[in-house]
Amino acid sequence: MKNYKLTLIYVLTALTLAACSSDDDHTITGEELTATLPGTLNLTLDAVVGQEDFELHTTYDIEGQQLNFNQFRYWVSHVILTDTDGEEFSIEDSYYLMEETEAISIQDGAYEYPANKRETITLTGIPAGSYTSIKFAVGIDPAYNDNLSLQAGELSQLNGMTNISWMWHTSYIFASLKGTDTGNDTQLQLETGLNSSYRTVVLTLDKDLEIGGDTDRNLTITTDIAGILNGIKVTETPVIGASTPEAMTTMADNFESNTFTVVSADEE
């Protein structure tokens, strides 16, 4: 053990002397040191309808249908960033409820969930590096979807995003669009939520995103409601759920491939 300690001392001393005698002496600045620290990413999922910003109680023409919504909600989970070396960093307990909704009566009116608009997630503790892509799921993985007693992130039974009518036990609603088909005054309830509706989205960034230090980075992605409803005729299926598996599968597939687009990645 003594010889090991002496050897270690000699090695460290030699390295120190070599560094001091180098012609490329460089003192690490506070700014450079800060840049190596974990960073923060503000991830914005901006709801749109085609080229228009999405707003509640506004009528949009989607595939020739005049649709007006009072609720848009969906779960984003398992957020993963991939760096230039192909290494993945997973955000721990990443379950986020994205929403634009009016007030919701919960548990048969036992209490009211307040009106809310939430499009931005703040991700912290991200290792310093250059990131090339982002991956996330729309929905809740089976381990948590099949057992609501498990808690992680923002998962809760008190936000009106659970459903007992689809299965023998209560499970989460993955995504929900509610409103009116104003063309024929029909109420709409368009939802996904079975384990088979769980989808993973992978998006490549247009340029590497440098994260680290005390400067927040921003990543904006559009969430296109017209894309979610691509190929769906709500005049034929104004209610989408477990009883309409084909329409629910189409809606889930649309979340994976027709909904999200990277708009910008930059510094704050």
Side-chain angles (χ1 to χ4, degrees):
M1 178 63 71
K2 183 176 180 181
N3 290 336
Y4 171 78
K5 290 182 177 178
L6 288 174
T7 301
L8 180 60
I9 291 172
Y10 293 149
V11 170
L12 292 175
T13 302
L15 290 173
T16 301
L17 291 173
C20 291
S21 62
S22 172
D23 292 334
D24 298 322
D25 285 350
H26 175 69
T27 301
I28 297 176
T29 66
E31 183 177 351
E32 290 173 325
L33 181 61
T34 298
T36 66
L37 299 176
T40 296
L41 174 65
N42 297 312
L43 172 61
T44 297
L45 299 170
D46 182 23
V48 299
V49 180
Q51 300 300 314
E52 301 178 65
D53 189 42
F54 173 73
E55 294 183 8
L56 297 180
H57 308 297
T58 299
T59 299
Y60 298 97
D61 186 322
I62 300 177
E63 298 204 356
Q65 306 164 111
Q66 304 304 306
L67 309 182
N68 189 301
F69 300 100
N70 56 38
Q71 182 183 123
F72 176 42
R73 314 177 81 197
Y74 63 102
W75 286 102
V76 167
S77 63
H78 291 282
V79 180
I80 296 173
L81 295 169
T82 302
D83 67 16
T84 52
D85 294 325
E87 295 294 326
E88 294 186 338
F89 174 70
S90 300
I91 305 297
E92 186 177 2
D93 292 335
S94 51
Y95 296 89
Y96 308 102
L97 181 56
M98 314 307 294
E99 61 184 354
E100 189 161 348
T101 181
E102 57 186 19
I104 304 169
S105 177
I106 305 294
Q107 297 182 345
D108 298 323
Y111 78 98
E112 184 176 83
Y113 184 91
N116 189 41
K117 179 176 181 177
R118 195 271 188 98
E119 294 185 322
T120 299
I121 306 166
T122 299
L123 308 174
T124 60
I126 301 171
S130 299
Y131 292 88
T132 61
S133 67
I134 184 169
K135 177 165 59 176
F136 57 86
V138 176
I140 307 301
D141 53 283
Y144 285 89
N145 193 42
D146 292 343
N147 185 354
L148 270 64
S149 67
L150 299 177
Q151 296 292 301
E154 298 175 6
L155 293 178
S156 171
Q157 299 183 50
L158 301 178
N159 50 33
M161 284 292 277
T162 59
N163 194 322
I164 197 171
S165 64
W166 289 346
M167 306 171 72
W168 291 110
H169 60 278
T170 304
S171 60
Y172 285 101
I173 298 169
F174 293 175
S176 177
L177 269 168
K178 292 183 179 181
T180 305
D181 179 351
T182 62
N184 55 22
D185 197 27
T186 301
Q187 296 301 302
L188 304 177
Q189 182 172 307
L190 316 174
E191 296 177 337
T192 67
L194 299 179
N195 290 335
S196 59
S197 296
Y198 183 80
R199 295 290 186 275
T200 299
V201 179
V202 180
L203 299 171
T204 300
L205 307 183
D206 293 335
K207 62 178 181 179
D208 294 352
L209 182 60
E210 301 292 337
I211 298 178
D214 56 5
T215 300
D216 289 3
R217 264 49 179 185
N218 300 294
L219 175 59
T220 300
I221 297 170
T222 56
T223 306
D224 189 359
I225 292 174
I228 296 170
L229 299 180
N230 182 50
I232 296 175
K233 293 296 184 182
V234 299
T235 53
E236 301 172 4
T237 52
V239 176
I240 294 179
S243 62
T244 57
E246 185 176 343
M248 187 164 68
T249 296
T250 298
M251 188 171 169
D253 289 344
N254 283 337
F255 267 106
E256 182 176 10
S257 57
N258 293 320
T259 299
F260 299 101
T261 302
V262 175
V263 175
S264 65
D266 51 33
E267 296 183 9
E268 188 173 48

